[in-house]
Amino acid sequence: MARRTAPQRPGTRSARPITAGSALGAGSGTGAVDHRRPGAQPSTDGTIAAVGPREPCPCGSGRRYKACHGGRSRPAPVLRPFVGRRDEPDLVALRELVPSATAPLHLSTAHLGAHPEHAGRRIVLGTMLPQAAPALVRDDGEILVAMQTAVPGLDASRDIAGALLAALDATPGSVIDTPAASSPLLVSQQADGLAALPGLVDVLDPAPLEITVHDGFAWWLPSSEDTGGDATSQEVAAMLERANATVVPTVRLTSVPAAYWCHPGDRWHLRWSLPLAAPAGTGTSDDAQAEGMPVARSEETLLDALARLSAADQLTVGPGSRFVGFFRADGLVVPVWDLAAGTEASACEQPAVELLAAYRTALAEQAPLDAAQRRIRAGLVGRSLTLR
């Protein structure tokens, strides 16, 4: 079998010319090589032959064909989908941390100027909708839009904005179950890719959300809905009961932004979504400062600040609390604390205020970390997780 030419080997594709500089041949320099000769160099006839995925790439790189010119390109997901919003930390929390919450939405002035027919529409942003639908329109025209969906695309902000725009044009009583606006297939059909799709920054008023955390999903139903009586109402009541049984008790702290107390099972936690400065070139400003929350210039400076606080025994949110690490979600860092058994959310308010003041001071510190702080920082990074 080793002596056979590539097209004759079982499981391989027949050789076909690929023009140098094409999607598969880009960056290869010159043309094809005779892949039957080990170490062969590219020829000068302007083509690269396609071979089996596990064979050496004919371009002469030494890599397998599937990892070189045979690789399929796919758009990368957006690391920080909500960058540019002043409430980015809360949006991340609603998408990744909070089981049931709502916030009224208001359309931007620019959108209403282009679509005056959308003025006056009642819109509610929720964490999750029945059947994990992206959005739905009630019979009275009120729109519910979900943060958490079954099949997300490459950019959560554009997915939510796409579902909202579809709901604005849908008839009352409709469920929006179209694919995510930023799904790879749909993005590949756009001439400008993701840049052609609007995001939340484009369609919503820039004011921060007014978030209400719920202990169940009763907000799925209109306030006038009667869940007793006929078979349909009984089925709805059973659905709500099943959904409510999955809700982890959660409370949003009122003294600091984007901090959430939760009580899963026999544990008590506090999770705090911290803001980061917008990446260079995005054209957005660090408006989170206006909300009383200091903004770290980068993840590195944020982790340095946490290491300084930990070394000084200041990384605490009350007696009996223990900082256990952090995870990354939608491009932000979310530290997590274990709380003493029975700790209520109200007991975390004042310690969170004190920690916020210490965090602001630690962020402003310019001196390099000492040896103890570097060890702590390395331990934090080693225990970190990234949600995808």
Side-chain angles (χ1 to χ4, degrees), residues 256-340:
V256 295
Y260 292 82
W261 170 96
C262 64
H263 176 29
D266 58 352
R267 305 295 295 273
W268 287 259
H269 300 299
L270 183 72
R271 298 177 289 190
W272 197 342
S273 181
L274 300 179
L276 288 176
T282 59
T284 59
S285 60
D286 302 326
D287 289 335
Q289 288 279 13
E291 304 302 315
M293 190 69 191
V295 180
R297 296 188 304 274
S298 65
E299 181 176 305
E300 287 70 24
T301 58
L302 189 155
L303 297 181
D304 286 349
L306 294 182
R308 296 181 199 277
L309 294 173
S310 181
D313 293 327
Q314 294 181 297
L315 197 54
T316 176
V317 287
S321 65
R322 182 174 66 91
F323 178 72
V324 296
F326 70 92
F327 59 86
R328 300 177 185 87
D330 292 324
L332 298 188
V333 172
V334 183
V336 181
W337 288 264
D338 274 342
L339 304 177

Side-chain angles (χ1 to χ4, degrees), residues 109-328:
T109 303
H111 178 84
L112 291 177
H115 301 277
E117 69 277 10
H118 294 162
R121 295 295 298 271
R122 299 192 308 277
I123 308 170
V124 176
L125 180 69
T127 47
M128 179 178 287
L129 295 177
Q131 305 293 325
L136 60 84
V137 186
R138 298 192 197 275
D139 291 338
D140 61 359
E142 183 181 32
I143 296 173
L144 299 183
V145 185
M147 292 289 295
Q148 305 169 19
T149 56
V151 185
L154 300 172
D155 187 334
S157 176
R158 288 176 165 88
D159 292 343
I160 298 166
L164 171 58
L165 295 176
L168 286 168
D169 294 332
T171 57
S174 302
V175 175
I176 308 302
D177 57 358
T178 56
S182 68
S183 65
L185 178 59
L186 295 180
V187 169
S188 65
Q189 297 172 357
Q190 297 283 345
D192 296 329
L194 283 173
L197 303 174
L200 292 181
V201 174
D202 305 307
V203 300
L204 294 185
D205 183 87
L209 299 179
E210 298 177 1
I211 298 171
T212 302
V213 178
H214 303 273
D215 57 4
F217 291 98
W219 54 270
W220 281 355
L221 302 178
S223 56
S224 60
E225 185 77 20
D226 181 11
T227 58
D230 59 21
T232 301
S233 297
Q234 294 176 5
E235 182 180 351
V236 170
M239 176 194 68
L240 278 178
E241 184 178 0
R242 291 192 299 270
N244 292 340
T246 68
V247 174
V248 173
T250 302
V251 176
R252 183 178 185 268
L253 300 192
T254 59
S255 57
V256 295
Y260 292 82
W261 170 96
C262 64
H263 176 29
D266 58 352
R267 305 295 295 273
W268 287 259
H269 300 299
L270 183 72
R271 298 177 289 190
W272 197 342
S273 181
L274 300 179
L276 288 176
T282 59
T284 59
S285 60
D286 302 326
D287 289 335
Q289 288 279 13
E291 304 302 315
M293 190 69 191
V295 180
R297 296 188 304 274
S298 65
E299 181 176 305
E300 287 70 24
T301 58
L302 189 155
L303 297 181
D304 286 349
L306 294 182
R308 296 181 199 277
L309 294 173
S310 181
D313 293 327
Q314 294 181 297
L315 197 54
T316 176
V317 287
S321 65
R322 182 174 66 91
F323 178 72
V324 296
F326 70 92
F327 59 86
R328 300 177 185 87

Side-chain angles (χ1 to χ4, degrees), residues 44-64:
T44 58
D45 62 359
T47 61
I48 294 178
V51 298
R54 294 181 178 274
E55 295 185 80
C57 185
C59 75
S61 66
R63 305 174 66 191
R64 291 183 178 181

Side-chain angles (χ1 to χ4, degrees), residues 48-140:
I48 294 178
V51 298
R54 294 181 178 274
E55 295 185 80
C57 185
C59 75
S61 66
R63 305 174 66 191
R64 291 183 178 181
Y65 180 70
K66 69 175 184 178
C68 192
H69 285 95
R72 294 183 179 180
S73 61
R74 172 179 173 151
V78 175
L79 177 62
R80 290 179 61 180
F82 307 115
V83 68
R85 290 282 308 182
R86 296 167 60 187
D87 48 14
E88 179 187 12
D90 273 311
L91 287 170
V92 171
L94 293 184
R95 185 167 183 257
E96 304 289 353
L97 309 180
V98 183
S100 179
T102 57
L105 296 182
H106 304 283
L107 298 174
S108 67
T109 303
H111 178 84
L112 291 177
H115 301 277
E117 69 277 10
H118 294 162
R121 295 295 298 271
R122 299 192 308 277
I123 308 170
V124 176
L125 180 69
T127 47
M128 179 178 287
L129 295 177
Q131 305 293 325
L136 60 84
V137 186
R138 298 192 197 275
D139 291 338
D140 61 359

